[in-house]
Structures are given as C-alpha cells and as structure tokens.
C-alpha cells in the first residue's frame, strides 16, 4: 500500500483547436460562411499568430462562449477520492473514474497529505490506519467470497475504504470550463491537492493552446485584485475593498 504520486497526462486535444476557435469567433462577426475559409485556415494561408491575436482580443472583451468548441482530455492518477469528489462538482465535463466496485483494492495505494507527512507521529498514525484498512478490506473480501459473494465481494468490502484511497480518472473539459476550473482551483484558497492537479493541467493547456491559456489561472491573476473578502484573501493581490475604498473618485 504505497503512497501514490500525482500524475497528469494529456490524452487528446481537439484537432486544429486554435483555428476552430478562431472560425467560431469569426462567424459571430462575419457576414459570410466560415466553412468557406476553413480550408485556408488549415493550409496556413491565414497565419496562426494572426488567428491567435484575433482570439486574444475578442476574449479580452469578455466574449468567451466560442472557446467551448475545443476540449482537452486528461488521464489523472495519484489523487485521492477526497479530491475526485471535488473535481466532479464541475458539471460541464465528462468523467470516467476507476470503479471500486470492480477493481480489487487489496493492495490499495493512498495519498498522504503533506501536513501529515511533516509530523512524524501523525505520519506513523496515518500509515498504521492505512494498514488496518487494507487488512480489514482483505479480510472482508475473503469472508464474503467464502459465503458465496464471489466477484461481488469487492463491492461490499469497499465500504471500509478511506477518502485517502488513490483513484484514477479520465477528464474531458471544454476550454471555457477549463478557464473556470483554473479560476477556482488554482487559487491559494483551493485545497492543496486539487490545486496541484489544476496547476499540472494548466501547464499542459498553456503548452498546447497559449492563445487561450497563457494568462489563465486563479481569478486574481486576470482581475489584478482578489475577488475574496479581506478575511479570506491570501495576500498575493489587494482585495476589491482595498482597491476601491468608499469615497474613491469623489470630488
């Protein structure tokens, strides 16, 4: 039952994502039919930097719905069930997660929180409990199998598994959903595990589609101030209240 490290691999990106987003934006402001320009976009007749610059300028205006036409698919391993429960709260996405009902967890990997890892006595207690859980799971599985549950023994034995249990999941999000995900989960107020996942996903997105993701991240990075109240702000940026004090701009 080893500690499982985070792994984020990019499986797929919508082909010709930049040109697709560019053409979707252009259709909003173009009298013609963008399908007629599509062959020129694919051939390189319209420079990619010209496309990227157009996309960036329109995004800066606040018009962002056309970026939904492109999506990214990630394979993620080394996250806890606690983390995956947070991820699936993002509803504009598709998920395929490893099933504890069908996958044998006798040799369950787990995620060790850094705060626990730093304290020897906390780490020792945590690891002892993980060992206890593993023994309980195996014992229950064996007992259930002996009483005729066969392959279904796993679906009942899994009830003792902790939130620390490692899981694997495939995630697909369109670019607009990803921008929202990064706004929330790259924030210093996000839980450490999902923030690490979001940062790793963002690295892939910036490499693949910088026109959309070069300035993506926590919301404060695009706003230039923290949208949280002073009570919850981490201090990286001034809060809105600090920037816009009552009476500002008055004669």
């Amino acid at each position: 039952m080893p500690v499982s490290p985070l792994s984020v691999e990019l499986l797929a990106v919508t082909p010709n994502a930049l040109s697709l987003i560019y053409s979707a934006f252009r259709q909003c402001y173009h009298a013609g039919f963008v399908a007629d320009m599509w062959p020129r976009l694919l051939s390189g007749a319209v420079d990619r930097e010209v496309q990227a610059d157009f996309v960036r300028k329109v995004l800066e205006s606040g018009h962002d719905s056309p970026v939904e036409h492109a999506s990214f698919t990630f394979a993620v391993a080394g996250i806890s069930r606690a983390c995956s429960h947070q991820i699936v709260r993002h509803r504009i996405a598709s998920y395929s997660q490893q099933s504890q009902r069908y996958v044998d967890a006798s040799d369950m990997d787990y995620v060790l929180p850094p705060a626990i890892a730093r304290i020897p006595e906390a780490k020792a207690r945590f690891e002892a409990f993980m060992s206890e859980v593993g023994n309980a799971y195996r014992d229950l599985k064996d007992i259930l199998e002996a009483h005729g549950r066969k392959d279904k023994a796993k679906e009942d034995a899994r009830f003792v598994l902790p939130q620390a249990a490692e899981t694997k999941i495939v995630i697909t999000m369109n670019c607009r959903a990803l921008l929202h995900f990064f706004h929330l989960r790259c924030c210093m107020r996000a839980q450490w595990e999902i923030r690490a996942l979001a940062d790793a996903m963002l690295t892939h997105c910036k490499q693949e589609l910088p026109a959309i993701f070069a300035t993506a991240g926590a919301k404060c990075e695009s706003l230039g101030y923290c949208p949280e109240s002073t009570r919850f702000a981490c201090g990286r940026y001034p809060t809105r209240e600090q920037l816009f004090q009552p009476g500002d701009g008055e004669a």
Side-chain angles (χ1 to χ4, degrees), residues 42 66 72 81 152 220 247:
L42 296 187
F72 284 66
R81 277 271 170 164
K152 290 189 176 180
C220 60

Side-chain angles (χ1 to χ4, degrees), residues 1 108 110 125-135 162 164-165:
M1 296 172 61
M108 174 195 75
Y110 59 84
R125 184 66 188 93
F126 185 91
E127 291 177 337
F129 178 72
M130 291 299 111
S131 180
E132 293 164 15
V133 167
N135 290 334

Side-chain angles (χ1 to χ4, degrees), residues 9-91:
E9 300 292 336
L10 180 62
L11 298 185
V13 182
T14 299
N16 306 300
L18 176 61
S19 294
L20 179 62
I21 292 170
Y22 172 81
S23 63
F25 271 125
R26 283 294 304 274
Q27 189 63 88
C28 296
Y29 307 105
H30 180 52
F33 186 33
V34 294
D36 296 334
M37 73 171 68
W38 186 246
R40 296 179 60 246
L41 295 177
L42 296 187
S43 70
V46 180
D47 186 76
R48 285 182 59 82
E49 187 51 41
V50 170
Q51 298 179 49
D53 187 58
F54 180 83
V55 167
R56 283 192 292 265
K57 287 178 179 177
V58 179
L59 279 174
E60 288 172 0
S61 75
H63 183 192
D64 61 359
S65 59
V67 304
E68 292 179 3
H69 294 291
S71 64
F72 284 66
T73 298
F74 302 89
V76 177
I79 60 169
S80 68
R81 277 271 170 164
C83 183
S84 70
H85 287 335
Q86 295 181 73
I87 295 168
V88 298
R89 298 300 187 271
H90 293 267
R91 297 175 179 84

